[in-house]
Amino acid sequence: MRSTGNARARVGVFGLLGSGNLGNDGSLEAVLGYLRAERPEAVVDALCGGPEVVAARYGIPATRLHRYRGEYRTASRAGAIAAKGLGKLADAVRTAAWVRRHDVVIVPGMGVLEATLPLRPWGFPYALFLLCASGRLFGTRVALVGVGAAPIGNRATRALVRWSARLATYRSYRDSPSRDAMRAMGVDTARDEVHPDLAFALPTPQADTPPGPPGTVCVGVMAFHGGDDDRARADAIHRRYLDGTTRFVRTLVAEGRPVRLLTGDACDAPVVAAILDAVDSPLVTAAEAASLSDLMKETAAAGTVVATRYHNLICALKTGTPTLALSYAAKSDALMAQMGLAAYCHPAREVDTDWLLAQFRELERRSAELRQTLTERNLTAAQRLEHHFTALTAALFPTTGHTHHDVPAHAPAHAQQENP
């Protein structure tokens, strides 16, 4: 195959993009920004979950990831099961044909190597395996860029994730626990790099209104039912999370504090509705964010943020707003430690309103100090991401006459390590 060094590279982006998750779409936006800056001549298209949204919002051609449109609905009737099975066979052919047309395929961020939320092996893990296997078969460079990973209990899911990572041309992670998880699964990570999440590369918008004391409290909520290994107690986990979060909001309202509810995925809407119904106060309003930029405008205008979703946390931290994480996975703990706020994590599975309020009040007491810390950590994150993109260019777009098959398996191992 031809070199991509001096020709118009054919670049694909792959994932559950345009499907209602703002974090996934923000990661795509960051990668498209990188490509516009570093490879403006590249021809870019997508194989994704929501092709209509991606095409309309980002102006690139997009193809649906799954042939069977009911992919993420449980199939119970014989006809639906047969249709889903035939769809899987068709997806293998469609994915291979799509990959073959490209020089490079980028999987932009996202937790594609984890199962911290409910996940079936024949869903996205199977799709990712098809991508990486097709890349190896046809000599297309497949890059897992700034992705998240975590230990996986389900054997089939773990096997698909492990083989996907092994077959990829390039891997980098958004935190050290992700790299550690892949190493524990038997993947050679000696040359894999760790960098801040891709969303830190997005521009930081200015808030429409400045924060004022005591300021609005943004509360980022989530349709949280535990992880893939928690299916048996998913309802109990959700009830405790919702009850604890609702009591927290009710206490703030009783103190006269305005509360702004944030989400990060379309599936979070019922949680917002439940809290609005339970608290029933004009002090509680819901934001209608369509992007991470919209979320950052909300968090920049707030005095404090308490949030669950990973990219809600990133938006708050990136805008320098003191933040408390309702943490449901190691990735949230790692992010908060990276940004100097390790003390402000609270378990989403076991929300204790009294303890949460105590942490919140301590966070507000140290607000000025923590804003300065976040300013410094954001500067460091931006510098490390510049290095990430430089390494990515060297790995995916070599300027020599190498073919796909001549490219080393990973970028040079000279990245800065994650801050303690």
Side-chain angles (χ1 to χ4, degrees), residues 76-405:
S76 56
R77 293 183 301 176
I81 293 171
K84 181 173 281 193
L86 290 173
K88 294 299 177 188
L89 294 175
D91 287 345
V93 176
R94 293 172 67 252
T95 300
W98 183 81
V99 169
R100 191 174 187 177
R101 296 196 299 268
H102 296 81
D103 300 297
V104 172
V105 174
I106 296 175
V107 180
M110 306 177 287
V112 298
L113 303 178
E114 64 182 52
T116 52
L117 297 176
L119 183 70
R120 297 296 190 190
W122 53 82
F124 189 78
Y126 171 74
L128 184 66
F129 172 75
L130 291 179
L131 171 77
C132 296
S134 297
R136 182 60 65 95
L137 178 64
F138 297 117
T140 299
R141 301 180 186 97
V142 174
L144 309 181
V145 180
V147 298
I152 297 173
N154 183 282
R155 292 179 63 182
T157 302
R158 186 170 63 248
L160 287 167
V161 163
R162 179 172 61 245
W163 276 106
S164 296
R166 286 175 172 173
L167 291 169
T169 305
Y170 173 94
R171 296 183 299 267
S172 62
Y173 307 100
R174 61 190 180 190
D175 52 48
S176 293
S178 293
R179 183 170 60 182
D180 294 344
M182 295 314 298
R183 182 184 300 121
M185 287 187 212
V187 177
D188 181 2
T189 62
R191 301 175 70 184
D192 295 358
E193 302 184 348
V194 173
H195 302 274
D197 189 87
L198 290 171
F200 280 102
L202 296 173
T204 306
Q206 297 299 311
D208 294 331
T209 58
T216 296
V217 180
C218 280
V219 178
V221 300
M222 178 179 178
F224 179 61
H225 295 79
D228 197 48
D229 296 331
D230 297 318
R231 292 178 183 272
R233 55 194 187 103
D235 289 343
I237 289 173
H238 180 66
R239 281 195 301 273
R240 179 162 184 174
Y241 168 79
L242 181 58
D243 289 348
T245 305
T246 301
R247 286 197 298 271
F248 176 72
V249 171
R250 187 179 287 119
T251 301
L252 294 180
V253 168
E255 296 173 357
R257 302 292 296 271
V259 175
R260 189 78 162 153
L261 299 178
L262 307 180
T263 62
D265 194 293
C267 69
D268 299 332
V271 179
V272 171
I275 294 174
L276 289 173
D277 183 62
V279 179
D280 191 22
S281 167
L283 287 174
V284 185
T285 56
E288 295 183 0
S291 67
L292 292 191
S293 178
D294 290 345
L295 283 176
M296 282 190 270
K297 289 178 183 178
E298 296 284 349
T299 60
T304 319
V305 175
V306 178
T308 310
R309 281 200 178 272
Y310 182 76
H311 282 94
N312 275 196
L313 294 173
I314 287 180
C315 288
L317 297 167
K318 184 169 168 54
T319 55
T321 305
T323 302
L324 198 161
L326 284 171
S327 175
Y328 67 89
K331 62 184 178 183
S332 298
D333 297 338
L335 172 64
M336 296 294 282
Q338 173 191 329
M339 300 302 288
L341 275 73
Y344 300 101
C345 293
H346 190 97
R349 283 175 175 79
E350 300 175 352
V351 178
D352 181 320
T353 306
D354 291 338
W355 177 24
L356 181 61
L357 283 164
Q359 289 179 293
F360 174 78
R361 302 196 196 289
E362 175 67 11
L363 181 76
E364 291 206 313
R365 187 184 68 78
R366 296 182 59 201
S367 178
E369 172 193 348
L370 295 176
R371 285 181 180 274
Q372 180 59 39
T373 297
L374 289 173
T375 297
E376 296 167 358
R377 296 300 176 98
N378 275 305
L379 179 60
T380 299
Q383 293 169 342
R384 292 176 60 209
L385 276 172
E386 286 183 10
H387 168 82
H388 189 189
F389 290 137
T390 299
L392 187 61
T393 299
L396 300 186
F397 305 107
T399 55
T400 65
H402 291 168
T403 68
H404 287 172
H405 301 284

Side-chain angles (χ1 to χ4, degrees), residues 6 71-72 186 200 334 381-382:
N6 298 306
E71 173 61 36
Y72 294 103
F200 280 102

